[in-house]
Amino acid sequence: MTPSATPAYRRLSVEERRSQLLDAALSLFAHRTPEDVSLDDVAEAAGVSRPLVYRYFPGGKQQLYEAALRSAADVLQQCFGEPREGPLLPRLSRALDRYLAFVDEHDTGFSALLRGGSVVETSRTTAIVDGVRRSAAEHIYEHLGVTDPGPRLRMTVRTWITAVEAASLIWLDEGKQPPAGELRDWLVEQFVAVLTVTAGRDPQTAVLVDALAEDGRD
Amino acid sequence: MTPSATPAYRRLSVEERRSQLLDAALSLFAHRTPEDVSLDDVAEAAGVSRPLVYRYFPGGKQQLYEAALRSAADVLQQCFGEPREGPLLPRLSRALDRYLAFVDEHDTGFSALLRGGSVVETSRTTAIVDGVRRSAAEHIYEHLGVTDPGPRLRMTVRTWITAVEAASLIWLDEGKQPPAGELRDWLVEQFVAVLTVTAGRDPQTAVLVDALAEDGRD
């Protein structure tokens, strides 16, 4: 064995060890339901002993799950980052591409988390998920150039975000069909369609829809 | 006191007593979070002793909550019932009116249930909520006259149902603004808009959208 193939023998710093355990936990929680992941699984995946896992995460599976969820939430929020340049809808498409790649990579865990009723679900895990939703909405307002979204625009953006989540779960249920590219385009078109409906009764949204149409013509 | 004002002194049958306790529980769970309802509250609201509540619901609060949720789910599914007569969109409007009245009457409990992370949430409560969602989708397919909805139509209908839930929660957060009638019209227009987007890539949905336009002209 070469030294690089035996990472368990290298002395890791506290931060490195913690991050190695978290990575192992996140991979397991991504592809299994929380019910199907044990502390022994995490220890085995990280190539360490169970007591070592407990030393870093004395709260056991619940604490590991929350830490893994927090780190997944950070990754997901980075998906939303997109330079404020060029036409708006292609920016939304690129962010959705990254989001759908994330959903694809964390399929089982993503479903288990959003479907609710899991043994590891608490008000803390719900707050983490809500934080991601809020961040998604804020990114959208920023890209739309809106600093003070009114109630009708907020309702439209927030319901569309929920529709994206629902569509992602159905997509996973349906064996990731239709292809991600078609789903992405459909979601972008839905976004324009729901904004257009709201524009009929909300002047703030009407201005945005006009700008979007203008934008597409550039 | 007249005899009719002292129901607690009348001997109730097992079924009547159970139903009286459930009604009391449902009223409490409708307007408080599950965390804020105790067995003592239910006993007091029903005018009975705590041991009597336990005799009927030995599983305590969790069992009462699930039974109350099941009875609320039945009520909600009845909201979706609508004769298959006349143009389709007014039928959808009437069903949404009844649904929004239900949301209005069960505000706090509805939010707590759908937001997740509550101590009483289990895979069983999630299954009850999913059953209501499935029932809503089936009612829609029936009214659309579709016996075998394809994946794109199913995804559209299911994401719209989720968007309705999300809009209801936001509506409660926003102090029930905009007025229920505006929210209902907005949701109906969203329904047509999202179906129209799907029609662009799904022949089955395209036929339905044509029929809806035809329907509106009658």
Side-chain angles (χ1 to χ4, degrees), chain B residues 82-119:
Chain B
E82 179 64 37
R84 276 146 202 70
E85 289 161 6
L88 198 122
L89 296 182
R91 287 187 235 164
L92 183 59
S93 286
R94 288 190 294 269
L96 279 170
D97 274 336
R98 288 189 295 266
Y99 164 79
L100 290 172
F102 177 94
V103 172
D104 189 14
E105 279 160 25
H106 300 81
D107 39 24
T108 310
F110 184 87
S111 281
L113 174 65
L114 289 190
R115 291 215 191 276
S118 156
V119 291

Side-chain angles (χ1 to χ4, degrees), chain A residues 42-122:
Chain A
V42 176
E44 196 188 322
V48 303
S49 68
R50 186 185 159 97
L52 186 77
V53 179
Y54 265 114
R55 204 179 314 146
Y56 280 79
F57 296 94
K61 183 158 100 172
Q62 184 68 34
Q63 192 189 358
L64 250 178
Y65 182 79
E66 288 181 19
L69 180 58
R70 229 170 258 123
S71 98
D74 288 343
V75 172
L76 188 48
Q77 294 191 30
Q78 283 162 22
C79 293
F80 305 149
E82 177 67 36
R84 275 147 203 70
E85 288 162 7
L88 199 123
L89 296 182
R91 288 188 234 162
L92 184 59
S93 286
R94 288 189 294 269
L96 279 170
D97 274 336
R98 288 189 294 267
Y99 164 79
L100 289 172
F102 177 94
V103 172
D104 190 14
E105 280 160 25
H106 300 81
D107 38 24
T108 309
F110 184 87
S111 282
L113 174 65
L114 289 190
R115 291 213 191 278
S118 157
V119 292
V120 292
E121 189 184 6
T122 63

Side-chain angles (χ1 to χ4, degrees), chain B residues 184-208:
Chain B
R184 173 205 59 209
D185 290 345
W186 181 78
L187 291 170
V188 171
E189 287 174 43
Q190 297 273 350
F191 181 71
V192 177
V194 297
L195 275 184
T196 304
V197 166
T198 302
R201 49 175 65 86
D202 181 46
Q204 181 181 41
T205 308
V207 170
L208 298 175

Side-chain angles (χ1 to χ4, degrees), chain B residues 115-172:
Chain B
R115 291 215 191 276
S118 156
V119 291
V120 292
E121 190 186 4
T122 63
S123 54
R124 280 192 303 276
T125 59
T126 305
I128 296 171
V129 175
D130 280 341
V132 175
R133 290 176 180 137
R134 254 197 315 280
S135 158
E138 278 153 21
H139 273 87
I140 291 173
Y141 302 139
E142 266 182 55
H143 281 277
L144 288 170
V146 172
T147 49
D148 189 19
R152 289 172 180 78
L153 177 59
R154 286 204 310 271
M155 188 178 276
T156 310
V157 168
R158 290 173 61 188
T159 56
W160 178 78
I161 289 169
T162 312
V164 171
E165 282 177 33
S168 312
L169 290 175
I170 297 166
W171 182 67
L172 293 176

